[in-house]
Amino acid sequence: MAKINFGGTEENVVTREEFPLAKAQEVLKDETIAVIGYGVQGPGQALNLKDNGFNVIVGQRKDSKTWDKAVADGWEPGKTLFPIEEALDKGTIIQYLLSDAGQIAVWPTVEKYLKPGKALYFSHGFGVTYKERTGIIPPKDVDVILVAPKGSGTSLRRMFLEGRGLNSSYAIFQDATGKAFDRVVALGIGVGSGYLFETTFQKEVYSDLTGERGTLMGAIQGIFAAQYEVLRSNGHSPSEAFNETVEELTQSLMPLVAENGMDWMYANCSTTAQRGALDWWKKFRDASMPVFKELYSEVAKGNEAQRSIDANSQSDYRVKLEEELKELRESEMWNAGAAVRQLRPENQKK
């Protein structure tokens, strides 16, 4: 295992060089990987594993949209696509990729099929970390492991098809067989990870919930909305407000950050932009710090987990979710964004 210096702190990292695909295939050559759930992470991970030469089956509810999606993706009923219980019975590694609420609901069924020596695999530490709230307590005689790609299943699949990799964290909650490390790393390589960095189930879920509610999704939408509204209230047009708030960031500046860091992006902007950014970033840090501290505290206390469980377990959850997404989609800012995207050169009719 390599030790990489991240900003002055050495961390354990597994790279493709030290754990190549051929080694991963050898480790898992006698395993049947049963992917349970074909929603967000399931398709990307299952298809990447399949394309990488592993023995993969999918378990899904029959007569569901996700069953139909699996069939459309090339999984064959009775050969590589099965009802959930049949897939659980066949699998030696159970990739439990249902939503957090779905995992709670299906856990009594899954638990029945966790025979000694099997592995229970997660891509989120939620169910195990908040076991008092979820009831997900794995038996002691199975490996309990985690690979959490740092992005959506869609991104994982797209990057795989482009010959790239999405970095992932890995964790071992329970090593019942003595093979948990090799199993988890092999699976991480198999699903298409660029590299794997070490974490724990608890740290993964705490950082993940904070990130989703923070800079990755919640905070960024809040910042977008605030700046857009200030520009609009001061007489700027919707197109100008959107371009200066969202479009320039996503299309021009963030690719530079991804390429070589924030200082590189600053260095490739005008001196006026550099001066303003350097003068103002700490003010934004100081203004948002109390909100992030409150957020992390709510995550650590389990309150955010409980909110998710309560909301996502409701029978009308998807109806209410669509209403909230519709509010975003139909806001002036994102309506302006739809028009701006249509005007990108690559979207113009030739």
Side-chain angles (χ1 to χ4, degrees):
M1 187 184 301
K3 284 192 176 292
I4 306 295
N5 188 308
F6 290 92
T9 299
E10 282 197 341
E11 298 184 34
N12 293 326
V13 169
V14 180
T15 67
R16 292 180 180 184
E17 287 72 28
E18 65 177 299
F19 209 108
L21 179 60
K23 182 175 179 180
Q25 291 168 334
E26 177 65 23
V27 167
L28 301 179
K29 65 181 181 181
D30 296 323
E31 305 272 18
T32 298
I33 304 164
V35 177
I36 308 301
Y38 207 74
V40 177
Q41 282 288 336
Q45 293 199 33
L47 289 167
N48 290 359
L49 284 164
K50 177 184 175 185
D51 288 352
N52 270 333
F54 296 91
N55 182 24
V56 189
I57 61 175
V58 171
Q60 190 54 48
R61 289 189 301 273
K62 271 190 171 182
D63 302 319
S64 66
K65 290 181 179 179
T66 44
W67 177 279
D68 294 340
K69 174 175 170 51
V71 171
D73 284 347
W75 303 96
E76 299 182 58
K79 293 183 178 179
T80 56
L81 175 61
F82 301 92
I84 288 176
E85 291 203 42
E86 193 170 348
L88 288 168
D89 186 46
K90 292 177 180 294
T92 58
I93 296 174
I94 308 301
Q95 287 197 246
Y96 203 24
L97 300 182
L98 292 168
S99 68
D100 295 323
Q103 287 184 13
I104 295 169
V106 180
W107 176 247
T109 300
V110 173
E111 191 175 18
K112 292 188 300 183
Y113 291 92
L114 292 176
K115 305 303 181 187
K118 286 193 175 188
L120 178 62
Y121 166 112
F122 294 87
S123 282
H124 192 22
F126 190 101
V128 170
T129 299
Y130 298 115
K131 58 183 180 296
E132 294 83 2
R133 300 170 187 266
T134 66
I136 296 176
I137 303 174
K140 297 293 185 183
D141 51 10
V142 301
D143 293 342
V144 183
I145 54 181
L146 173 147
V147 173
K150 299 299 107 180
S152 71
T154 300
S155 299
L156 183 72
R157 181 62 177 165
R158 284 178 180 172
M159 293 176 76
F160 177 86
L161 293 174
E162 292 167 0
R164 302 160 63 202
L166 192 64
N167 301 328
S168 303
S169 59
Y170 77 92
I172 299 170
F173 181 78
Q174 194 166 277
D175 183 4
T177 66
K179 301 185 298 182
F181 176 80
D182 281 351
R183 274 172 150 177
V184 73
V185 172
L187 288 162
I189 297 299
V191 301
S193 303
Y195 73 83
L196 295 149
F197 63 92
E198 189 176 31
T199 189
T200 67
F201 272 61
Q202 184 187 81
K203 287 179 179 177
E204 188 282 329
V205 74
Y206 282 15
S207 61
D208 191 63
L209 293 184
T210 300
E212 290 166 350
R213 287 147 181 77
T215 59
L216 302 179
M217 295 172 69
I220 196 70
Q221 165 62 18
I223 290 171
F224 284 166
Q227 179 170 305
Y228 182 88
E229 289 171 19
V230 167
L231 290 172
R232 289 289 287 123
S233 68
N234 282 279
H236 297 270
S237 69
S239 63
E240 184 170 58
F242 187 85
N243 273 292
E244 293 295 342
T245 299
V246 180
E247 189 75 352
E248 185 175 348
L249 175 69
T250 58
Q251 298 302 298
S252 174
L253 301 182
M254 289 312 293
L256 293 175
V257 177
E259 181 182 309
N260 210 21
M262 188 66 74
D263 65 306
W264 172 248
M265 185 266 274
Y266 282 11
N268 282 275
C269 294
S270 71
T271 55
T272 302
Q274 292 168 6
R275 184 69 271 141
L278 291 167
D279 287 346
W280 277 87
W281 80 263
K282 291 180 182 178
K283 293 182 181 181
F284 283 105
R285 178 199 63 191
D286 295 344
S288 61
M289 185 71 76
V291 181
F292 278 100
K293 287 183 176 179
E294 178 188 0
L295 168 58
Y296 193 87
S297 175
E298 288 297 293
V299 169
K301 287 188 286 190
N303 293 341
E304 281 300 303
Q306 194 61 53
R307 281 171 54 82
S308 293
I309 292 169
D310 292 343
N312 299 348
S313 299
Q314 299 297 315
S315 59
D316 61 349
Y317 162 70
R318 294 200 175 276
V319 174
K320 291 179 178 177
L321 172 65
E322 178 51 34
E323 290 174 358
E324 292 181 277
L325 294 177
K326 182 181 178 183
E327 181 183 354
L328 278 179
R329 184 168 58 248
E330 295 186 353
S331 67
E332 183 190 274
M333 180 173 73
W334 290 110
N335 266 315
V340 168
R341 288 192 294 276
Q342 286 300 312
L343 293 172
R344 292 176 188 165
E346 66 269 24
N347 293 331
Q348 295 289 302
K349 292 182 179 179
K350 295 180 180 180

